[in-house]
Amino acid sequence: MKFHEFYAGQVFTTKSITITKESITGFAAEFDPQYMHLDEEKAKQGRFNGIIASGIQTMAVSFKLWVETGRYGEDIVAGTAMNHLKFIKPVYPEDELHTVVEVTGLKEKKNGTGSVTVWLSTFNQKDEKVFEGELTVLVKQ
């Protein structure tokens, strides 16, 4: 979508994705090698009673789900900011996540682009919010 096709208050809902134990441990091994993501026995003794996904993985999945809607398509130039990130609830193996995206800000630029700011809210299969954050991207006009 071009910049002028977005409007404040516009809401999109993504498809869902299931987070597997293998995806959690694979992501964590490479990007967030902490025990609560990798060591099932030790994680069971902790506050989450088992392995959980890295918050960074939850954020990345939220972004992936949004991008896969195709709304930016070939019109995206680049991401410019991520703000106000909150990891609200743990994500467990076999949780099914989807993201609700609301356009919260638009700013026209002089170079044939505009910035689009969206609020990402990611929910599990119980409709519990697990993540939220703000994303701003530069889009062609």
Side-chain angles (χ1 to χ4, degrees):
M1 292 173 60
K2 302 263 187 226
F3 172 76
H4 68 275
E5 295 177 274
F6 289 98
Y7 59 87
Q10 197 171 21
V11 176
F12 305 93
T13 300
T14 71
K15 69 178 185 178
S16 296
I17 189 170
T18 300
I19 306 301
T20 66
K21 180 180 173 186
E22 293 75 25
S23 73
I24 290 171
T25 57
F27 183 94
E30 189 166 357
F31 300 109
D32 192 359
Q34 298 184 76
Y35 79 89
M36 74 284 290
H37 311 311
L38 294 169
D39 185 334
E40 192 153 16
E41 289 308 310
K42 190 169 183 179
K44 281 181 183 176
Q45 298 170 17
R47 72 181 295 167
F48 303 114
N49 299 311
I51 285 181
I52 60 169
S54 165
I56 303 302
Q57 181 181 11
T58 302
M59 178 184 69
V61 166
S62 301
F63 181 72
K64 167 192 170 61
L65 290 170
W66 169 228
V67 169
E68 285 183 345
T69 67
R71 300 298 178 182
Y72 295 143
E74 299 292 317
D75 296 314
I76 190 164
V77 176
T80 61
M82 290 191 90
N83 296 299
H84 313 292
L85 305 176
K86 291 185 182 177
F87 308 109
I88 299 164
K89 284 191 168 282
V91 172
Y92 293 94
E94 303 311 312
D95 274 358
E96 188 175 311
L97 305 181
H98 74 277
T99 301
V100 176
V101 182
E102 180 179 357
V103 178
T104 58
L106 300 163
K107 186 174 183 182
E108 200 164 342
K109 304 286 184 175
K110 293 181 181 180
N111 61 356
T113 63
S115 66
V116 177
T117 300
V118 296
W119 188 260
L120 306 172
S121 298
T122 301
F123 300 87
N124 64 20
Q125 70 280 2
K126 298 175 189 172
D127 210 30
E128 300 169 323
K129 190 184 288 187
V130 298
F131 169 80
E132 66 183 15
E134 183 182 74
L135 170 68
T136 303
V137 299
L138 202 57
V139 177
K140 296 175 189 171
Q141 285 191 18

